[in-house]
Amino acid sequence: MAIYHDPSKPKHVADRVEIKTKVKDGASAEVPTTHDVTTTTPKEICGIGHRMKRKEDPRFIQGKGRYVDDFKLPGMLYMDIVRSPYAHAKILEIDASEALAMDGVLAVITGKDLEAHGLHWMPTLMSDTQMVLPTDKVVYYAQEVCAVIATDRYTAADAIEAVYVDYEPLKPVVSPFDALKDEVIVRDDKEIRTNRIWHWEVGDEAATDAIFDSATTVIKETMYIPRIHVSSIETCGMVANYNPATEKMQIYMTTQAPHAVRTVFALVTGLPEQKIQIISPDIGGGFGGKVPVYPGYVIGAVASLLIGKPVKWIEDRSENLQADSFARDYHLEAEMAADENGKIVGLRVNGLADHGCADSAANPSKFPAGLFSICTGSYDMKAAHVNFDAVYTNKPPGGVAYRCSFRVTEAVHMVERLTSMMAHELGVDPAAYRMNNFIKPEQFPYESPTGWEYDSGNYHAALEKAMEMIDYDGLRKEQLEKRERGELMGIGISSFTEVVGAGPAKDYDILGIKMFDSAEIRVHPTGKAIARFGTKSQGQGHETTYAQIIAEVLGIPALDIDIEEGDTDTAPYGLGTYASRSTPTAGAAAAMAARKIKAKARKIAAHLLEAHEDDLEWNVSQWQVKGSPDKAKTIQEIAFAAYTDHPDDLQAGLEATDYYNPPNLTFPFGSYICVVDIDKGTGEIHIRRFVAIDDCGNIINPLVVEGQVHGGLTMGLAPAMYEEIVYDENGQCLTGTLADYLVPTAVESPKWETGHTITPSPHHPIGAKGVGESPTVGAPPAIANAVVDAMWHLGVRHIDIPITPEKVWQALRDAGVTE
Amino acid sequence: MSQHNVSININGTEHSHDVDARLLLVHYIRENCDLTGTHIGCDSTSCGACTVIVDGRAIKSCTMFAVQASGKEVETIEGVADGGLHPIQEGFWEMHGLQCGYCTPGMIMCAKTLLEKNPDPTEEEIRWGISGNLCRCTGYNKIVEAIQYAAEKINQPEAASA
Ligand code: FES
Ligand code: FES
């Protein structure tokens, strides 16, 4: 930690900073902020805003969900994978003879076998390449080496033990800082012998340097945002079912993006795309970990193709933790500058991304560091510059999100830590300091120094509400009293801005496929409906919330609308569900498609009522003659007529499709306050209270939003205090089971207190912004800030997450507090 | 591999198969008996997705062999409701105690034995009671509320449905 002041300039104290404490809600005329969720439909219809119980729940609570491992096809075989015990080694020989001699073993598939079909390498989402199976060397611990196909899973598990692989261990590169030295090259398949993958800069460097040169206060901190793993409770898996007679490849798989996977499979294998059907059934949690195509999927599909029988592959938890895509792993050197009034004026960041052995991040193509450049956060500053490098190491590939939108969490953690540090450094209360530095409501749409256009926001209102709810002033008093008694209590704030809903097609694509999303709605003659989407729920509740959006527009009861996703043979094309993009994209598509249907319904109603279209008005669920609500046709009557009595100049039927290309991203935000008590003897941190105020624009279903926020908060707590994927100096993963990788239980997880403000997105058809991930983004710095707040007076400036009792104890010991 | 005949009463139905000594109870339930509501989430007895009730005790069926359950009574999620929904199932639905649903059957089975032992648990007791079951989606608040709902309903059937 380096805090340096220009001695020629005065150091600031609290009373010299002008603090705004009270800001009126809704200062921006176009986008007023409100507090109450309102509805325009009655309960029987359950449109937007209703606290509707989820439609998908009955099957889950009765054990009737259908997850990948629940599918059992006739003649199905099982695959298991031999994995490398070394992080870096040459493969001298693979001897599978003993395994092949076992009863029930049909095949052992090696890299050489795949090479014969040109399938031993595959492209990653970031246009890098990744081994499916190695032909000559392995580059990470637990890498797939070869696969066994057998008649049942126990035999397959026995057979992988009987495969003999002769390795010649090589020196691994474990630290990304060592990787920069290029002494050991991870990817010697590449022409250029370097571990550097990309260099990326954003912002105005010269302007930022000038701001820093003239700043009064500059703080600087090195932060590590550790490697973590989503660890959804269902691991990844598939059943590949190739039918030699129809030449159709049907794949049940745990994927968040079935359509994109189909296209990737077609491009990689050369199979005609119409002969590939990806079915993503019920998914037991995704959080980003089920976006990539893992080698196991490709091997399983090839096995089914070669053998002509269904092949099931289900990862076990250790494989999932050790080899699937990780998240985060950013090393940051961050500086913040403030002027003579204590106002934040600039941000400067140097980052190093550890991508493991391949860049298989799941970012939009043009954004190698994802949306990290949102790092100026909720604060109005003059200039910022971000400078990033990425390297290969001998670790599993990845760089997926962990319930967040493309690297936003790393950015938010950094800026929220720095902002609290700056406040402490200037001797200003961190809440007041934020209030004074926030982008003001009237500044929206706000153009950030790194080029984002924030759609809407009212940061003051959210923080004010959180402070009120937790009794901030009371807590600060209590903290002072406790401090006098030598007790450690801390209050941490995080006022984050998220950026979700990728995205506008002009800038956002994955492997060239634009990031629109789609909805297709069909209204049946009896007025019931089915709607299909290009997204894929993994627990977010799409079957309920999409139905509510359609119910809102068409007045068809949400219970009468079935929602389907995940089958590429029936659903319209879309990029899938991650990065909180479902509501901003497919949710918008649902509203737009429903509006098209409503427009056609108007024509049919005019025909039935013998009135002019222009003389009709919409009323909840019917078109009626203006001023005479008794002359009306309900949507159900109109639907029936669409098939039985439609006007001559209209086609029959009542359906519409929409491929929605959002004009901008959405920018949800929130303010979180965390209160911790720290045991001086043990370093144990007790989260006494945690208040979260989220603003995700208009709320489709308050019950679902609460659930999403609670879940996101626990997934924010997790990396803040418990989770980290750790490697030893040989590149061996030390956290390969849930006994070492500490997913929080109900005991660690606090009783979350939540609330909301509502500042609609001005460009989204229903003013919604998306919410599933905001809390994962916002929670870690609130916790870290609380811990540091408790110890700042002892000289503790920063502790990297996960903040364990051991780290706290060590910090207290260094500060001379504990023995 | 030695074969053994097991007969296990699952949800009131007798099941009998010749199985390998090493066959895990969870695989027996899922694959021999086709009851796929019991899930698998780990290989270290950590997640509780596989929780079933054996002779009245919640156990993790990934850590018990089928042969150990022979002659015992096993209850799985498919057997908890006696027509309609069990109050715990109802609680999970009412209070939004689930998202992806993968942990849910295990949570419900665990909650069932918890409420049988302690019909009126405090929030703290509920949190400790389900601490062997991981949920990655919900943040647990609403699972706790679901179990509280069920406790209330079981204790005062009238009041809760009113
Ligand atoms: S499967 Fe995780 S405890 Fe049994
Ligand atoms: S609801 Fe998804 S793991 Fe609990």
Side-chain angles (χ1 to χ4, degrees):
Chain A
M1 169 81 185
I3 298 181
Y4 49 92
H5 292 279
D6 181 341
S8 65
K9 296 175 185 139
K11 186 170 185 283
H12 295 287
V13 289
D15 61 359
R16 297 191 48 194
V17 180
E18 198 196 319
I19 307 295
K20 239 192 202 171
T21 49
K22 208 74 187 160
V23 175
K24 257 184 91 65
D25 285 355
S28 168
E30 298 91 55
V31 190
T33 298
T34 56
H35 294 268
D36 298 321
V37 181
T38 51
T39 55
T40 63
T41 55
K43 210 166 168 238
E44 308 79 69
I45 291 180
C46 256
I48 291 172
H50 282 283
R51 218 180 150 78
M52 184 187 190
K53 278 196 301 185
R54 295 202 322 173
K55 292 166 61 205
E56 45 270 79
D57 286 356
R59 68 174 184 274
F60 294 126
I61 54 179
Q62 297 179 86
K64 300 289 185 207
R66 291 282 275 163
Y67 303 91
V68 166
D69 199 11
D70 300 341
F71 288 84
K72 201 155 119 184
L73 305 182
M76 191 167 78
L77 304 170
Y78 290 81
M79 181 172 94
D80 208 337
I81 293 176
V82 176
R83 291 177 183 272
S84 169
Y86 298 104
H88 199 191
K90 266 195 201 146
I91 296 177
L92 302 177
E93 191 199 353
I94 299 176
D95 179 358
S97 51
E98 199 181 309
L100 283 166
M102 290 169 66
D103 272 354
V105 175
L106 278 88
V108 174
I109 298 174
T110 65
K112 297 258 192 265
D113 299 323
L114 295 183
E115 191 177 17
H117 302 271
L119 291 175
H120 55 313
W121 287 85
M122 63 177 179
T124 71
L125 294 179
M126 292 309 285
S127 301
D128 195 359
T129 52
Q130 177 185 348
M131 280 183 233
V132 178
L133 285 175
T135 50
D136 52 359
K137 83 166 189 171
V138 286
V139 288
Y140 62 93
Y141 173 76
Q143 183 180 341
E144 299 79 358
V145 173
C146 62
V148 170
I149 312 296
T151 48
D152 71 284
R153 59 177 106 210
Y154 286 70
T155 306
D158 286 343
I160 62 168
E161 301 296 330
V163 175
Y164 172 77
V165 185
D166 194 9
Y167 298 94
E168 181 188 315
L170 301 169
K171 189 171 186 257
V173 198
V174 183
S175 146
F177 297 99
D178 288 343
L180 283 172
K181 296 178 202 152
D182 279 341
E183 286 164 6
V184 175
I185 301 296
V186 176
R187 295 289 299 266
D188 48 19
D189 57 293
K190 304 235 170 199
E191 238 163 71
I192 305 169
R193 291 188 57 81
T194 179
N195 291 322
R196 288 169 190 264
I197 313 175
W198 45 257
H199 174 82
W200 178 74
E201 285 182 40
V202 70
D204 185 335
E205 185 173 18
T208 307
D209 288 348
I211 290 274
F212 271 80
D213 288 346
S214 63
T216 312
T217 311
V218 172
I219 55 168
K220 183 174 183 177
E221 183 56 62
T222 306
M223 298 181 196
Y224 176 48
I225 316 288
R227 182 175 276 236
I228 51 176
H229 196 284
V230 299
S231 199
S232 50
I233 305 299
E234 178 200 37
T235 60
C236 294
M238 78 179 321
V239 180
N241 179 25
Y242 182 70
N243 183 334
T246 59
E247 297 182 343
K248 182 142 184 171
M249 174 66 87
Q250 184 189 49
I251 301 176
Y252 296 88
M253 75 187 266
T254 44
T255 176
Q256 299 175 225
H259 301 272
V261 166
R262 185 187 69 196
T263 303
V264 171
F265 260 87
L267 294 174
V268 170
T269 61
L271 288 176
E273 197 167 354
Q274 85 279 13
K275 294 289 187 190
I276 305 172
Q277 179 187 18
I278 307 290
I279 301 172
S280 183
D282 287 330
I283 301 281
F287 315 114
K290 289 172 180 167
V291 173
V293 172
Y294 295 116
Y297 294 133
V298 179
I299 310 166
V302 171
S304 178
L305 193 72
L306 295 178
I307 300 172
K309 287 194 170 183
V311 173
K312 179 183 271 191
W313 168 61
I314 305 291
E315 270 178 344
D316 64 31
R317 174 59 58 191
S318 307
E319 296 178 288
N320 175 263
L321 283 170
Q322 291 172 355
D324 282 4
S325 287
F326 66 90
R328 321 274 197 262
D329 215 343
Y330 268 19
H331 295 263
L332 304 172
E333 205 183 80
E335 293 170 279
M336 183 179 263
D339 69 11
E340 67 279 7
N341 297 314
K343 177 98 183 52
I344 302 171
V345 283
L347 189 72
R348 195 156 60 184
V349 189
N350 277 308
L352 182 61
D354 181 348
H355 272 284
C357 70
D359 185 356
S360 24
N363 294 325
S365 307
K366 287 186 202 160
F367 297 83
L371 313 185
F372 183 87
S373 63
I374 191 74
C375 59
T376 56
S378 307
Y379 310 101
D380 184 19
M381 56 184 89
K382 290 182 181 148
H385 184 249
V386 180
N387 194 31
F388 242 98
D389 286 287
V391 290
Y392 293 126
T393 57
N394 287 113
K395 292 182 205 158
V400 297
Y402 168 110
R403 201 171 183 152
C404 84
S405 181
F406 315 121
R407 306 296 191 177
V408 176
T409 316
E410 291 89 327
V412 165
H413 194 77
M414 179 191 74
V415 71
E416 286 303 313
R417 281 291 301 119
L418 287 177
T419 304
S420 280
M421 283 165 91
M422 182 65 94
H424 282 304
E425 184 53 31
L426 298 173
V428 185
D429 178 86
Y433 190 66
R434 281 177 168 77
M435 289 288 192
N436 203 38
N437 279 283
F438 280 150
I439 300 159
K440 298 182 182 68
E442 60 272 20
Q443 284 176 278
F444 290 91
Y446 170 81
E447 174 134 9
S448 87
T450 49
W452 299 99
E453 190 187 299
Y454 296 11
D455 57 350
S456 63
N458 189 342
Y459 302 151
H460 302 81
L463 178 54
E464 210 169 84
K465 190 161 182 174
M467 289 169 74
E468 236 172 71
M469 203 161 139
I470 207 160
D471 181 19
Y472 186 80
D473 296 339
L475 285 169
R476 283 290 176 203
K477 264 191 221 116
E478 181 190 343
Q479 184 187 33
L480 275 182
E481 288 160 20
K482 289 217 155 128
R483 201 165 279 175
E484 263 162 34
R485 295 201 298 270
E487 292 169 35
L488 298 180
M489 165 187 167
I491 305 158
I493 303 176
S494 160
S495 295
F496 62 92
T497 293
E498 250 265 77
V499 48
V500 308
K506 75 175 166 35
D507 292 325
Y508 295 85
D509 68 83
I510 287 192
L511 291 175
I513 306 167
K514 302 294 189 184
M515 296 185 75
F516 55 82
D517 227 294
S518 60
E520 177 200 280
I521 307 172
R522 290 186 200 169
V523 184
H524 305 314
T526 55
K528 318 285 178 190
I530 184 163
R532 297 191 172 98
F533 293 82
T535 48
K536 175 62 207 167
S537 175
Q538 313 117 44
Q540 291 89 340
H542 292 175
E543 288 170 51
T544 306
T545 51
Y546 287 163
Q548 287 185 266
I549 294 173
I550 298 168
E552 175 76 21
V553 179
L554 289 177
I556 298 172
L559 280 176
D560 289 348
I561 305 168
D562 267 14
I563 303 296
E564 279 185 13
E565 302 174 293
D567 182 339
T568 57
D569 269 11
T570 55
Y573 204 97
L575 270 277
T577 294
Y578 40 88
S580 287
R581 65 186 298 278
S582 295
T583 297
T585 59
M592 299 308 273
R595 285 177 192 174
K596 291 179 194 172
I597 289 175
K598 190 168 157 183
K600 183 170 179 183
R602 182 179 204 164
K603 292 190 197 305
I604 299 171
H607 160 75
L608 296 175
L609 293 164
E610 294 176 352
H612 194 277
E613 259 189 78
D614 295 344
D615 295 332
L616 300 185
E617 63 183 2
W618 178 257
N619 181 11
V620 182
S621 58
Q622 61 184 26
W623 281 111
Q624 63 193 32
V625 176
K626 279 181 195 158
S628 21
D630 50 322
K631 290 186 77 182
K633 288 290 168 190
T634 65
I635 187 73
Q636 288 79 9
E637 290 167 332
I638 296 168
F640 195 68
Y643 297 87
T644 59
D645 181 19
H646 58 93
D648 292 340
D649 56 344
L650 268 189
Q651 291 192 347
L654 198 55
E655 56 185 74
T657 303
D658 192 80
Y659 279 71
Y660 187 78
N661 175 24
N664 188 6
L665 294 128
T666 59
F667 296 77
F669 59 93
S671 268
Y672 295 171
I673 305 181
C674 172
V675 187
V676 300
D677 297 301
I678 293 175
D679 184 319
K680 279 203 295 198
T682 63
E684 197 186 326
I685 305 155
H686 170 65
I687 298 184
R688 191 201 312 171
R689 286 188 71 189
F690 195 109
V691 163
I693 302 298
D694 271 281
D695 192 320
C696 59
N698 284 336
I699 290 176
I700 299 165
N701 180 328
L703 185 65
V704 168
V705 168
E706 278 164 26
Q708 289 291 307
V709 170
H710 293 158
L713 288 169
T714 296
M715 278 187 92
L717 165 77
M721 291 177 65
Y722 302 102
E723 295 176 9
E724 180 174 4
I725 296 280
V726 183
Y727 292 86
D728 71 8
E729 66 280 8
N730 298 314
Q732 297 250 351
C733 178
L734 303 178
T735 46
T737 73
L738 290 177
D740 322 288
Y741 187 76
L742 303 178
V743 170
T745 73
V747 173
E748 289 81 47
S749 195
K751 182 172 181 168
W752 307 112
E753 301 170 62
T754 60
H756 56 256
T757 54
I758 300 172
T759 311
S761 168
H763 65 76
H764 186 276
I766 57 167
K769 288 189 170 183
V771 72
E773 302 169 335
S774 293
T776 311
V777 172
I783 296 167
N785 284 342
V787 172
V788 174
D789 185 74
M791 305 197 287
W792 184 273
H793 64 292
L794 302 171
V796 177
R797 295 292 180 262
H798 177 73
I799 301 176
D800 271 333
I801 56 171
I803 303 185
T804 57
E806 190 191 348
K807 286 187 193 171
V808 172
W809 180 82
Q810 192 61 51
L812 289 170
R813 200 177 139 100
D814 294 347
V817 177
T818 40
E819 302 278 286
Chain B
M1 190 65 51
S2 62
Q3 291 270 311
H4 300 261
N5 183 267
V6 294
S7 39
I8 305 177
N9 182 310
I10 304 182
N11 303 328
T13 306
E14 282 297 331
H15 293 262
S16 180
H17 293 88
D18 289 330
V19 301
D20 276 353
R22 65 176 176 174
L23 182 72
L24 297 174
L25 178 59
V26 68
H27 286 138
Y28 181 77
I29 293 170
R30 287 178 52 81
E31 300 191 0
N32 295 56
C33 306
D34 286 325
L35 296 167
T36 56
T38 303
H39 298 148
I40 300 170
C42 73
D43 38 35
S44 52
T45 323
S46 306
C47 76
C50 62
T51 306
V52 298
I53 299 174
V54 178
D55 283 352
R57 282 182 58 211
I59 61 107
K60 293 179 174 175
S61 61
C62 69
T63 315
M64 185 177 206
F65 294 115
V67 291
Q68 291 174 288
S70 193
K72 297 195 181 347
E73 288 196 7
V74 174
E75 195 181 338
T76 71
I77 186 67
E78 288 89 348
V80 286
D82 188 10
L85 293 178
H86 185 279
I88 303 175
Q89 290 173 311
E90 203 181 300
F92 271 73
W93 193 11
E94 288 291 334
M95 308 315 283
H96 189 26
L98 64 149
Q99 288 177 27
C100 77
Y102 200 78
C103 71
T104 311
M107 284 284 181
I108 290 175
M109 300 319 284
C110 177
K112 186 159 185 272
T113 53
L114 170 72
L115 292 184
E116 276 159 11
K117 272 188 287 185
N118 180 359
D120 192 17
T122 61
E123 175 176 343
E124 171 106 356
E125 285 166 342
I126 293 175
R127 285 183 179 270
W128 280 101
I130 58 168
S131 63
N133 292 60
L134 297 177
C135 174
R136 201 56 158 162
C137 303
T138 64
Y140 303 104
N141 266 33
K142 289 187 182 290
I143 293 181
V144 172
E145 288 169 23
I147 298 171
Q148 286 168 333
Y149 173 101
E152 208 170 303
K153 175 129 192 200
I154 294 167
N155 297 339
Q156 302 157 306
E158 248 84 287
S161 62

